[in-house]
Amino acid sequence: MIDPTSSGPASHGVPQRSNADILRLRKQLLNPTLSVSYNEPLKIVRGEGVWLYDQHGQPYLDMVNNVCHVGHCHPRVVAAGQAQMARLNTNTRYLHDNIVEYALCLTATLPEPLSVVFLTNSGTEANDLALRLARAHTRARGVIVVDHAYHGHSPSMVELSPYKFNGKGGQGQASHVGVVAMPDVYRGPFREPSEAGRQYGAMLQPAIENLRQQDIATAAFYCESLLGCGGQIVLPEGYLAEAYAKLRAAGGVCLADEVQVGFGRVGEHFWAFERQGVVPDIVTMGKPMGNGHPMGAVVTTPEIAASFVNGMEYFNTFGGNPVSCAIALAVLDVIADEKLQENARRVGGFLLDGLRELQQRHDAIGDVRGCGLFIGVELVRDRAARTPDQPKARAVVEAMKARHVLLSTEGPDDNVLKIKPPIVFSQANAEEFLDKLDQGLRES
């Protein structure tokens, strides 16, 4: 039996410090821009499934950790990594079965012609590499992005992330970047569901023209298949079809950022872009593919991959190593064997229904949206005016933490409760969450 109060490292000589001592040392020794969650930070020492445990053995229901996609410390994933680490870990200049097996299994989940895989260590690396691919293929430099998007923390990705470049410390929009409005049918300019997708998608044309007037041709359109930092927004029907058509007519390629939402989270499909009935030219992925182990990937077409062959090798010391690929293979096996995509569909539907029932009883809930286990609850002060209520959202997060449920907020006004738990999340977990959210909304 594992001791739930044990974090493990103490057996290797790491002292078990108080929260205050850890905070003091973080401030003294670590990146000074690094934040912590909650007014009173938690010290988390163990995870299992949908649960995180503090140093006192107290469990917390994890509603936001889409990184540990198939559950914290899933035994099959852990065993796969342990076994391969005990046998071999090296780079891709040696032949090994794991990397080609993973490429075969991963591309089998994607539509043609997405069939060439580049493995990286993170979603940021994947999106950064994808930019190089797009520019090599199109010989253009401009990029269209969606407002409030976040695509990574490298210099090139900060330039493509309005969430960063228009935020605190940001340097504003670069000349080679075009920004289009979020396709938000709740608070955006277009709200009629049957028309909004086409209307928002058409907004790419003036962005492309604006770049062209500066003698900048458009290389790519970056878009998350569901908008995360934008506030858990589900793209309106037809949006990507319209946007992709505009972008391709201008000679660019279309990228689906699936870093947060891929691998069955949306329930009805394995990839969230499939909900829009489109096939992107490039797909990027990260976070969930290694269940917490650092992995990312770019999958593209043979034609685009061929454009990247210019004499300069792309080599990534750790990308695609045997241990990472063993772990990633185990994640795919667990999703299939435990029917977790279907679980995300079924439990996500139950959760959405429950949240919409709460909406009838709590005026603070202005909108409930999502698919599968990717859900947003937008809190407002005035339903008619749809006025965002950031203080209420923050108070609810703290009230839920006091009830041992971990949530956080997102969106341009930081008023959207983001819900994206590991996809092993059960109906019983959902019932517990809904009951506690009801209490938290009443008391916050």
Side-chain angles (χ1 to χ4, degrees), residues 23-356:
L23 284 167
R24 178 183 61 80
L25 289 168
R26 281 169 64 107
K27 186 175 181 180
Q28 176 185 332
L29 300 169
L30 300 184
N31 160 20
T33 70
L34 192 61
S35 65
V36 292
S37 298
Y38 308 107
N39 294 336
E40 293 184 9
L42 287 169
K43 181 179 180 180
I44 297 297
V45 301
R46 189 172 74 85
E48 182 178 354
V50 297
W51 300 98
L52 291 172
Y53 295 83
D54 69 11
Q55 73 272 37
H56 308 298
Q58 292 297 311
Y60 290 81
L61 184 61
D62 187 356
M63 297 294 296
V64 290
N65 205 320
N66 62 314
V67 179
C68 291
H69 189 59
V70 299
H72 293 280
C73 304
H74 192 290
R76 286 179 64 181
V77 177
V78 171
Q82 288 174 328
Q84 185 58 55
M85 194 178 297
R87 187 177 303 116
L88 173 72
N89 199 23
T90 187
N91 65 61
T92 54
R93 287 202 173 108
Y94 299 101
L95 301 183
H96 199 276
D97 291 302
N98 286 7
I99 188 169
V100 292
E101 182 65 17
Y102 186 66
L104 283 167
C105 292
L106 182 64
T107 55
T109 69
L110 289 157
E112 291 288 349
L114 294 165
S115 58
V116 182
V117 179
F118 297 74
L119 291 171
T120 67
N121 303 301
S122 69
T124 292
E125 272 195 1
N127 279 327
D128 188 88
L129 175 59
L131 181 60
R132 291 177 59 192
L133 286 161
R135 286 176 169 168
H137 185 66
T138 62
R139 301 195 180 278
R141 183 164 174 266
V143 182
I144 308 297
V145 297
V146 177
D147 201 9
H148 215 72
Y150 174 64
H151 295 291
H153 56 75
S154 68
S156 72
M157 289 302 104
V158 170
E159 287 185 343
L160 301 191
S161 300
Y163 176 75
K164 290 293 186 183
F165 68 64
N166 282 333
K168 293 179 181 178
Q171 296 183 356
Q173 186 174 335
S175 61
H176 66 278
V177 177
V179 179
V180 294
M182 292 192 300
D184 178 0
V185 297
Y186 179 64
R187 289 178 56 205
F190 305 121
R191 299 180 181 180
E192 173 53 51
S194 63
E195 295 293 327
R198 181 189 58 78
Q199 291 169 317
Y200 282 113
M203 297 178 84
L204 266 75
Q205 193 62 48
I208 293 165
E209 291 299 329
N210 184 59
L211 290 177
R212 187 175 290 146
Q213 288 169 14
Q214 302 173 66
D215 293 322
I216 299 172
T218 301
F221 171 49
Y222 272 58
C223 185
E224 299 165 274
S225 302
L226 297 166
L227 307 188
C229 291
Q232 307 294 100
I233 289 175
V234 177
L235 303 180
E237 185 177 353
Y239 174 70
L240 287 184
E242 182 73 19
Y244 281 15
K246 300 293 188 206
L247 202 286
R248 285 169 172 157
V253 298
C254 301
L255 180 143
D257 183 332
E258 293 266 340
V259 170
Q260 291 205 53
V261 296
F263 294 90
R265 174 167 293 280
V266 297
E268 292 183 358
H269 301 281
F270 200 78
W271 302 104
F273 69 77
E274 294 177 289
R275 302 183 74 254
Q276 290 273 307
V278 297
V279 178
D281 304 298
I282 303 174
V283 180
T284 56
M285 51 196 78
K287 300 179 191 297
M289 66 190 299
N291 207 52
H293 180 82
M295 285 195 74
V298 179
V299 184
T300 190
T301 67
E303 183 183 10
I304 292 173
S307 298
F308 198 56
V309 181
N310 64 2
M312 179 188 292
E313 181 185 15
Y314 174 74
F315 172 70
N316 187 317
T317 301
F318 298 112
N321 71 76
V323 171
S324 295
C325 290
I327 288 169
L329 281 165
V331 170
L332 290 179
D333 286 344
V334 168
I335 293 170
D337 294 348
E338 298 185 10
K339 298 179 172 55
L340 295 184
Q341 181 180 331
E342 168 58 20
N343 184 72
R345 185 199 66 77
R346 181 177 53 79
V347 177
F350 176 84
L351 192 51
L352 280 165
D353 288 343
L355 288 166
R356 286 170 180 144

